[in-house]
């Protein structure tokens, strides 16, 4: 076996006919939406929400609010433990690629890569390793080298020829803010990203993404009711066009309204000092069926799966690779 890891990419369109691939993580949010009797209506409604949100933000030269639509592709990343072979590939990451369709000019415009982020190894880290480390302890702590393997795998993928051949810009991951931290509104306002919030006491998720080479900024876009966390490299405000940023906001603000309506579909707007709460009663529900409890249960099951099928069998190889990769950066 060589000392090189290789990556391969598979793409699957996320539309109203979407059916999860066999190796898709069941906790992946798209897969959750695409099950049950309401699957097609779920998907159709989700895409309509994304398109409406996009046109509301991209409102210049768009008098009828129907100039643009967004296409989504689920990008599944597989890790080849030996770059010279392709028969030992393991699925590790899923992200989203957005494409903007301008119906006025008949152009197709690349949107942002990343957006949603799903990872088998993260399931293992948070749903198995972290829980076992703190079991029976009086105070919470984090295991040694927590998130380092995952972070190195992600950075190796983003720096790989495979990524660079498919995507022109680094990824931006957009997720909900922490419910354990308080965010303070600043005077900084971006025309697309909206009002910036800040907090200096970074969450465990912030630190985990930092090990992936990503820094974070928090913005509440126009029309949103709570800030979103944007994880990125480089300069978030200048490296991406307005339409690229809108592709991320419209997609992830929609998903968060479905996943966390208490926060992102609340009936009041975040104030100057804000802490998100899943106990917020004053919120509206979308008509899209999403099983949050099932997702939490499956995260534990899949974390144990990756422990047995990936972490334990290849532990020495993974540790050696991760240490060598870190030393060479």
């Amino acid at each position: 076996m060589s000392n090189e890891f290789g990556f391969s990419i598979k793409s699957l369109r996320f539309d109203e006919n979407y059916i999860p691939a066999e190796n898709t993580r069941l906790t992946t949010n798209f897969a959750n939406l695409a099950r049950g009797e309401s699957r097609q209506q779920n998907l159709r409604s989700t895409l309509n929400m994304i398109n409406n949100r996009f046109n509301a933000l991209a409102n210049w030269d768009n008098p009828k609010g129907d100039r643009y639509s967004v296409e989504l592709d689920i990008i599944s990343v597989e890790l080849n433990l030996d770059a010279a072979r392709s028969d030992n590939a393991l699925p590790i990451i899923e992200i989203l690629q957005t494409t903007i369709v301008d119906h006025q000019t008949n152009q197709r415009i690349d949107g942002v890569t990343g957006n949603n982020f799903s990872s088998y190894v993260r399931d293992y880290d948070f749903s198995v390793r972290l829980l076992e480390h703190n079991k029976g302890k009086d105070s919470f702590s984090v295991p040694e080298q927590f998130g380092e393997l995952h972070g190195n795998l992600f950075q190796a993928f983003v720096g790989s020829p495979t990524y660079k051949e498919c995507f022109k810009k680094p990824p931006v991951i957009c997720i909900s803010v922490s419910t354990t931290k308080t965010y303070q509104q600043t005077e900084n306002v971006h025309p697309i990203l909206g009002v910036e919030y800040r907090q200096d006491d970074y969450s465990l998720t912030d630190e985990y993404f930092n090990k992936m080479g990503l820094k974070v900024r928090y913005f509440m876009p126009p029309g949103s009711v709570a800030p979103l966390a944007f994880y990125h490299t480089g300069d978030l405000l200048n490296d991406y066009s307005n339409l690229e940023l809108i592709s991320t906001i419209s997609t992830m603000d929609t998903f968060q309204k479905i996943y966390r309506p208490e926060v992102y579909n609340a009936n009041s707007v975040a104030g100057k000092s804000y802490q998100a709460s899943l106990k917020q009663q004053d919120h509206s529900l979308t008509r899209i069926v999403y099983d949050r409890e099932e997702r939490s249960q499956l995260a534990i099951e899949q974390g144990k799966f990756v422990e047995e099928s990936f972490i334990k069998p290849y532990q020495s190889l993974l540790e050696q690779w991760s240490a060598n990769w870190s030393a060479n950066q």
Side-chain angles (χ1 to χ4, degrees):
M1 181 175 289
S2 75
N3 293 323
E4 294 286 331
F5 283 179
F7 298 94
S8 58
I9 288 175
K10 294 181 180 178
S11 177
L12 181 63
R13 177 60 51 88
F14 179 78
D15 57 20
E16 64 181 57
N17 299 311
Y18 164 69
I19 297 175
E22 290 183 3
N23 62 355
T24 292
R25 291 167 63 253
L26 295 178
T27 57
T28 299
N29 294 319
F30 341 113
N32 192 300
L33 294 173
R35 293 206 301 276
E37 295 180 359
S38 304
R39 60 170 303 278
Q40 193 164 52
Q41 185 59 49
N42 273 352
L43 298 171
R44 188 179 296 126
S45 297
T46 300
L47 294 167
N48 285 338
M49 286 175 66
I50 292 171
N51 290 335
N52 290 338
R53 186 76 173 99
F54 191 102
N55 283 290
L57 287 168
N59 54 17
W60 60 92
D61 291 338
N62 188 7
K64 295 182 179 180
D66 60 358
R67 176 171 176 172
Y68 301 99
S69 61
V70 180
E71 293 179 354
L72 301 175
D73 290 289
I74 301 169
I75 307 301
S76 299
V77 183
E78 293 185 336
L79 170 68
N80 300 302
L81 295 173
D82 184 343
R85 298 170 53 189
S86 60
D87 60 348
N88 61 349
L90 297 165
I92 58 167
I93 292 169
E94 281 189 345
I95 53 178
L96 275 179
Q97 170 67 32
T98 57
T99 301
I100 303 151
V101 181
D102 185 337
H103 299 285
Q104 181 171 304
T105 63
N106 293 319
Q107 284 183 300
R108 293 173 58 81
I109 305 163
D110 289 341
V112 165
T113 305
N115 303 288
N116 197 83
F117 179 75
S118 300
S119 163
Y120 268 120
V121 179
R122 186 172 67 162
D123 273 350
Y124 162 73
D125 278 340
F126 278 92
S127 299
V128 176
R129 189 180 178 202
L130 191 61
L131 292 181
E132 290 180 351
H133 175 77
N134 286 283
K135 193 174 183 179
K137 294 184 178 179
D138 294 330
S139 60
F140 178 84
S141 64
V142 176
E144 188 177 348
Q145 297 181 324
F146 183 72
E148 288 190 12
L149 170 63
H150 179 270
N152 289 343
L153 287 171
F154 180 81
Q155 292 190 67
F157 165 61
V158 173
S160 70
T162 301
Y163 183 92
K164 293 176 180 178
E165 287 170 8
C166 295
F167 309 112
K168 298 176 182 177
K169 294 185 179 182
V172 176
I173 310 297
C174 179
I175 64 175
S176 60
V177 292
S178 171
T179 58
T180 64
K181 305 299 179 183
T182 299
Y183 299 82
Q184 304 297 332
Q185 192 178 108
T186 73
E187 298 298 320
N188 191 37
V189 181
H190 184 270
I192 301 300
L193 290 167
V195 180
E196 184 166 21
Y197 281 73
R198 286 183 184 157
Q199 64 94 7
D200 297 324
D201 182 20
Y202 290 121
S203 69
L204 182 58
T205 297
D206 293 338
E207 293 173 355
Y208 195 81
F209 275 80
N210 182 255
K211 291 184 178 181
M212 296 161 58
L214 302 175
K215 50 195 174 183
V216 63
R217 294 180 76 168
Y218 315 98
F219 285 92
M220 184 168 68
S224 297
V225 298
L228 292 158
F230 295 85
Y231 296 90
H232 61 96
T233 61
D235 186 343
L236 177 67
L237 275 60
N238 292 304
D239 291 348
Y240 302 90
S241 70
N242 285 344
L243 291 182
E244 286 174 321
L245 293 174
I246 292 173
S247 74
T248 288
I249 295 166
S250 60
T251 300
M252 297 314 300
D253 196 42
T254 294
F255 280 134
Q256 294 302 340
K257 285 179 180 178
I258 298 167
Y259 307 153
R260 291 193 162 190
E262 301 92 338
V263 176
Y264 291 96
N265 218 26
N267 294 327
S268 58
V269 179
K272 292 187 176 181
S273 181
Y274 177 72
Q275 182 172 356
S277 173
L278 295 178
K279 297 180 180 179
Q280 166 65 263
Q281 297 296 313
D282 186 22
H283 67 275
S284 301
L285 296 175
T286 67
R287 299 178 65 183
I288 298 169
V289 180
Y290 178 78
D291 194 331
R292 193 159 63 191
E293 183 178 349
E294 178 193 48
R295 183 178 184 271
S296 297
Q297 294 170 348
L298 286 171
I300 297 174
E301 293 179 17
Q302 293 187 165
K304 291 179 179 177
F305 163 77
V306 77
E307 179 182 33
E308 295 299 324
S309 64
F310 181 57
I311 301 296
K312 285 183 177 179
Y314 303 105
Q315 186 166 7
S316 59
L317 172 66
L318 292 169
E319 289 176 353
Q320 181 183 7
W321 174 86
S322 186
N324 289 339
W325 196 92
S326 295
N328 291 326
Q329 297 310 300

